[in-house]
Amino acid sequence: MIERQDHGDVLVLRLAHGKASALDLELLEELCKAMDEFERSEARACVLTGTGSIFSAGVDLKRMVDGGVDYIDAFLPALDRAISRLLFSDRPLVTACNGHAIAGGCLVACCGDRRLGARGKGRVGVPELAVGVPFPPLAIELVRFSVGPKNLQRALFDAAVHGMEDALELGFIDELVAPEELEQRAIETARRLGAIPSSSFAFTKRRAREVLRGPGLDPAACAEVRALWASDEVRAALAEYVARTLG
């Protein structure tokens, strides 16, 4: 599900779960495991990228429909755990969007301390409301942190996916590079961040992201989102979207 490559002081993790690296329960658990291994390793920084022309197409919606409420109850906490592991790691993480980063895939990309994208036809965005599902609290706070107050409502309520240039303008991406240069540029960026004294980097990162923890991990809000995802209305909207777009 995740390929690992050592580049000296930089570890490269490559999403390689099926054609689109769709986020299911197993991939989320593997992401947490990979981050645990990274933080136990000698690597000072990490690059997270995808395979081919897709970083991640987002949540496996068919699995969500087929699994019903029991799967939803397992999946939503796993999504919070995986995003938290990526977002709150003390060590530098660079995300390299080699192509489409949609919905949950966009959220994973936003976890990077530096977020690179490949110029080309890739699409980036959070179209959850077009699917009919509410954003988990941590997802909302992560989007707010990434795009800023000015672009938050556009990013959430337009429920659109954007070309790479627009994703750069909105704030989902920090820098665009040629596709053939993406991974090397990401490794160089990770190496530069990893060269900062680890205690200084960790303190600064924790303070910068502390604002996400309270509202993003609020138990009452998380319980409300779980109830909405499990409701007849949202599950019907999700099933209709899957039938209409995925067959």
Side-chain angles (χ1 to χ4, degrees):
M1 293 185 189
I2 299 177
E3 298 174 355
R4 296 158 171 83
Q5 296 176 325
D6 290 318
H7 292 264
D9 52 353
V10 175
L11 173 67
V12 174
L13 301 176
R14 189 182 313 278
L15 300 174
H17 185 40
K19 181 180 178 180
S21 291
L23 301 178
D24 57 17
L25 191 57
E26 293 75 19
L27 181 55
L28 294 175
E29 291 171 346
E30 189 66 19
L31 267 173
C32 291
K33 179 182 176 182
M35 289 301 294
D36 289 343
E37 293 174 352
F38 160 54
E39 292 182 348
R40 290 195 299 265
S41 76
E42 297 298 319
R44 294 185 62 87
C46 180
V47 170
L48 179 62
T49 190
T51 302
S53 62
I54 298 176
F55 178 79
S56 171
V59 173
D60 187 337
L61 298 179
K62 284 189 174 182
R63 181 87 178 273
M64 191 72 69
V65 170
D66 293 342
V69 173
D70 288 344
Y71 185 78
I72 290 171
D73 283 342
F75 179 84
L76 289 177
L79 179 63
D80 274 349
R81 285 195 299 272
I83 290 178
S84 294
R85 289 298 288 113
L86 296 167
L87 187 61
F88 298 124
S89 172
D90 280 348
R91 298 190 188 184
L93 173 68
V94 174
T95 49
C97 290
N98 51 297
H100 304 310
I102 298 171
C106 179
L107 297 175
V108 169
C110 285
C111 290
D113 302 308
R114 187 73 176 169
R115 301 156 299 162
L116 277 57
R119 296 187 184 276
K121 297 180 180 180
R123 310 287 288 178
V124 177
V126 284
E128 275 81 347
L129 291 183
V131 177
V133 297
F135 287 83
L138 185 57
I140 293 177
E141 297 309 315
L142 178 54
V143 174
R144 188 196 314 275
F145 187 78
S146 299
V147 306
K150 178 181 178 181
N151 290 326
L152 178 64
Q153 294 190 128
R154 178 185 170 192
L156 296 180
F157 300 148
D158 282 5
V161 291
H162 311 273
M164 284 292 185
E165 294 288 348
D166 287 340
L168 177 68
E169 179 186 353
L170 274 169
F172 285 122
I173 299 292
D174 295 317
E175 178 184 354
L176 293 181
V177 299
E180 65 274 14
E181 299 173 1
L182 178 66
E183 187 167 327
Q184 185 57 42
R185 175 62 175 165
I187 291 170
E188 292 170 356
T189 302
R191 183 161 289 133
R192 175 175 57 80
L193 295 178
I196 298 169
S198 58
S199 57
S200 297
F201 184 89
F203 174 81
T204 303
K205 183 173 178 177
R206 284 197 302 269
R207 295 300 298 174
R209 298 192 171 187
E210 190 64 28
V211 294
L212 299 170
R213 289 185 183 272
L217 299 175
D218 176 62
C222 291
E224 183 176 0
V225 164
R226 181 268 165 201
L228 288 170
W229 273 77
S231 69
D232 291 342
E233 180 185 23
V234 171
R235 290 175 61 205
L238 179 57
E240 188 279 330
Y241 179 88
V242 168
R244 173 166 45 87
T245 61
L246 303 178

